[in-house]
Amino acid sequence: EVQLLESGGGLVQPGGSLRLSCAASGFTFSTSAMSWVRQAPGKGLEWVSIVATIGDPTYYADSVKGRFTISRDNSKNTLYLQMNSLRVEDTAMYYCARKYTGSYHFDHWGQGTLVTVSS
Amino acid sequence: QSVLTQPPSVSGAPGQRVTISCTGSNSNIGADYNVHWYRQVPGKAPKLFIYGNNNRPSGVPDRFSGSKSGTSASLAISGLQADDEADYYCQSYDSSLRGYVFGSGTKVTVL
């Protein structure tokens, strides 16, 4: 069974940094592209970033480009999101999602980790 | 605002048929990228519901069907049931943005 378990969320002040992790199990992690999708409180889904199987290339939404960095460690079956220069508008539930190979959709999602940016 | 446009809400009586529209542009749905649908119950993670325009993952009832035409897509729910109440999001890929795009989400209410 595919499982994705996010961690690392919490309360951080504007301008601060946070690193999210997503531990994957139940599939061959190194053969799947992985993504982060976020959802602000009461709002819709917003794609954040994606990383290819070997860690490159990476792509980002314009809203986080230059501030967030996605990476992965295939030896640890773990996906990361380093978030710097955080803004109040980055407050959201952050979901880790597996991209289905050969398609542009996400077939498995984690339960999410909440990031709150507030002073 | 979202790149893909959905109605904020749709409703229907039990047993009725409702449809959710998803309107995009020539850089996403109109560029022949497939449309996918996710269902989200409040407080839970999204779950893939329809992929590749009209394919249902295992476990999704055949009361749910998807379609795509031009720059738009739709999700139809027939024989509406109380536990169909949830938020539904469409999703595609945008070649201009070089990224994945979601619809604004539609809340389905069973009257």
Side-chain angles (χ1 to χ4, degrees):
Chain A
E1 178 192 4
V2 172
Q3 290 197 349
L4 300 170
L5 185 61
E6 302 92 336
S7 61
L11 175 64
V12 61
Q13 291 188 338
S17 298
L18 213 54
R19 189 176 86 153
L20 307 183
S21 299
C22 170
S25 61
F27 67 103
T28 305
F29 181 71
S30 61
T31 63
S32 292
M34 298 296 297
S35 190
W36 290 97
V37 178
R38 69 183 181 183
Q39 185 172 35
K43 302 297 184 181
L45 301 171
E46 179 189 16
W47 171 75
V48 173
S49 182
I50 193 165
V51 59
T53 55
I54 58 172
D56 186 76
T58 59
Y59 298 96
Y60 300 90
D62 287 343
S63 58
V64 306
K65 202 172 294 183
R67 300 187 298 122
F68 290 11
T69 302
I70 191 171
S71 63
R72 62 192 296 161
D73 186 335
N74 287 342
S75 69
K76 296 181 178 180
N77 290 345
T78 303
L79 174 72
Y80 303 101
L81 185 67
Q82 177 66 43
M83 304 185 295
N84 299 330
S85 303
L86 282 162
R87 305 167 180 168
V88 171
E89 55 266 33
D90 294 320
T91 294
M93 183 70 77
Y94 284 73
Y95 296 103
C96 162
R98 186 180 81 167
K99 176 187 159 314
Y100 186 81
T101 302
S103 178
Y104 289 103
H105 72 268
F106 308 106
D107 63 346
H108 289 277
W109 298 63
Q111 288 305 300
T113 187
L114 181 62
V115 172
T116 303
V117 185
S118 174
S119 55
Chain B
Q1 56 271 31
S2 302
V3 173
L4 305 180
T5 301
Q6 299 178 233
S9 64
V10 298
S11 61
Q16 281 191 330
R17 182 177 187 270
V18 297
T19 61
I20 303 170
S21 61
C22 174
T23 303
S25 68
N26 288 328
S27 62
N28 42 68
I29 298 175
D32 210 28
Y33 290 103
N34 287 336
V35 177
H36 320 285
W37 294 87
Y38 302 86
R39 168 190 162 107
Q40 185 179 35
V41 174
K44 300 290 188 181
K47 184 177 179 181
L48 179 66
F49 224 61
I50 295 284
Y51 66 94
N53 303 320
N54 57 6
N55 298 290
R56 287 174 284 106
S58 173
V60 174
D62 59 7
R63 301 185 294 104
F64 293 83
S65 62
S67 64
K68 175 191 147 182
S69 178
T71 58
S72 296
S74 63
L75 173 68
I77 310 174
S78 60
L80 200 60
Q81 298 180 2
D83 58 6
D84 294 336
E85 288 199 338
D87 295 321
Y88 294 83
Y89 293 88
C90 61
Q91 178 255 310
S92 187
Y93 181 83
D94 192 288
S95 56
S96 293
L97 297 173
R98 297 189 72 184
Y100 299 76
V101 290
F102 285 93
S104 41
T106 299
K107 182 177 181 61
V108 170
T109 300
V110 181
L111 302 172

